[in-house]
Amino acid sequence: MSETPFDDVDPQQAPGRSGRDVPEGDPWERYGWIMGAIWLVFLAFPIVSSVQAETTWGWRVASVTSIVLFAAVYVQSFMRLDTFETWKQVHRFGMRRLAILLVLCAVPAVVIEAAALGMLPFIAAFAMFGLRLPVALAVGGATLLAAVLVPAAIGMYGELWFFGLIVGLVLVTTGLVRVLDERGAEHRELSRQMDIVSERERVARDVHDVLGHSLTVVTVKSELARRLIDDDPERAKIELDDIHSLSRTALAEVRATVAGLRVARIEDELKAASVALCGAGIDADLPDDHSVVDPRHRIIVAWVLREAVTNVVRHSRAGRCEVRLQSAGIVVQDDGIGPGDHADGNGLRGLRERVQASGGTLLVEERPEGSGTRLEVSL
């Protein structure tokens, strides 16, 4: 009997079935029919009974031929189950093939009588994987009743009781396989959706950090260039060159972020922070040595530095910004208007999620001196 996986996440759709011979989810599913073929060895008993039956050779040949065709249809049907996209298609196919299998049981039932009960476990197994669950249970129950009642009706229950046991075990095991596969498919689908959501959040967070910082600096520098264009054209030209360079860098960073390849570096962010703060007319007190930060935390600290400096330039109205690096964290504080009662914006909310995902905490509060904002991350 087969362990061909058959997921049932959607009542209309058979997940993992792409309509092609090879399912998209698992390329090894194409070999699930092998588990069904292994058990065909037990059809040797009905075949032997057919050969030894006390009847004409014509009936013997017809019985053996029916059993061989039964085995071929059984295996080919299992191979086809993985090629359908919806349960409606599978159920329709399964009903047709089940009818063929039952017809092929007719001749052996006439020739070898009770020995043909050895074909019932295969009927039960195929029904469990090829039909909707309520119909599969009904067919399975019918095969179990036949395996129990037929020997009793012909007075051979003492010799043939094991057929009922075999069919019962087949129903239990295939039913468990199907239910576990369906629950596993639901779990895999949920995990896939969660991965998609996480990736979207990562891209949105990274793009926000990249564009938020870069566009803030571009805005500051463009305003400075506009003021200088009449009084100091050479200085304005330098600012415009910086804007051009920043724009190209931001474009490259966005592409790398979308591809999942971008990694923030503390030394780069310190340089970018100096440019952004100075361009906004804010005195920058930045550390010279970034090696104090534990290597395990440098990427997250770099992201914190970028977003914190961007917020200082955008919102603080500060005259001075101080950055202090720690082994397992960072402190950024300014002498601006302070955080007030405003809720976290997208940038700070994304930064908090990033820090929490790294096992750290983020605190935003007014400076102890009473003016300005203090942002501290501890990892």
Side-chain angles (χ1 to χ4, degrees), residues 157-343:
Y157 186 78
E159 294 83 357
L160 303 177
W161 62 269
F162 58 88
F163 280 124
L165 177 62
I166 292 174
V167 173
L169 290 175
V170 168
L171 288 174
V172 171
T173 53
T174 54
L176 284 175
V177 169
R178 174 166 174 172
V179 170
L180 291 175
D181 279 346
E182 291 175 358
R183 300 293 83 78
E186 292 176 357
H187 174 73
R188 291 191 296 273
E189 178 64 16
L190 180 60
S191 298
R192 187 181 71 84
Q193 294 294 337
M194 291 179 66
D195 289 341
I196 292 174
V197 171
S198 298
E199 182 64 10
R200 286 175 177 170
E201 291 179 348
R202 181 196 68 79
V203 172
R205 188 167 55 236
D206 290 359
V207 169
H208 174 276
D209 291 347
V210 170
L211 290 183
H213 176 80
S214 300
L215 293 179
T216 297
V217 177
V218 167
T219 301
V220 170
K221 284 187 168 291
S222 62
E223 291 176 352
L224 178 60
R226 187 176 60 181
R227 293 196 301 266
L228 293 173
I229 197 165
D230 293 326
D231 299 333
D232 191 349
E234 289 300 321
R235 174 71 185 281
K237 182 179 179 181
I238 293 174
E239 297 297 334
L240 290 173
D241 289 340
D242 288 346
I243 291 173
H244 180 261
S245 177
L246 283 168
S247 301
R248 292 176 63 87
T249 300
L251 180 59
E253 287 184 334
V254 168
R255 289 172 175 169
T257 296
V258 172
L261 301 176
R262 185 179 186 277
V263 177
R265 292 160 48 92
I266 295 180
E267 54 268 42
D268 294 339
E269 299 305 330
L270 286 172
K271 294 176 183 177
S274 177
V275 172
L277 292 170
C278 293
I282 301 174
D283 291 336
D285 183 0
L286 305 175
D288 297 324
D289 183 13
H290 66 273
S291 63
V292 65
V293 181
D294 189 312
R296 295 174 298 172
H297 305 313
R298 289 179 184 175
I299 293 176
I300 186 64
V301 167
W303 281 114
V304 172
L305 176 59
R306 169 177 280 246
E307 180 60 26
V309 169
T310 300
N311 284 339
V312 171
V313 173
R314 277 182 175 174
H315 310 298
S316 71
R317 304 179 194 170
R320 186 174 187 275
C321 177
E322 177 184 347
V323 176
R324 292 291 175 263
L325 298 177
Q326 303 169 352
S327 175
I330 181 176
V331 175
V332 179
Q333 55 185 6
D334 62 69
D335 59 358
I337 60 175
D341 298 327
H342 299 294

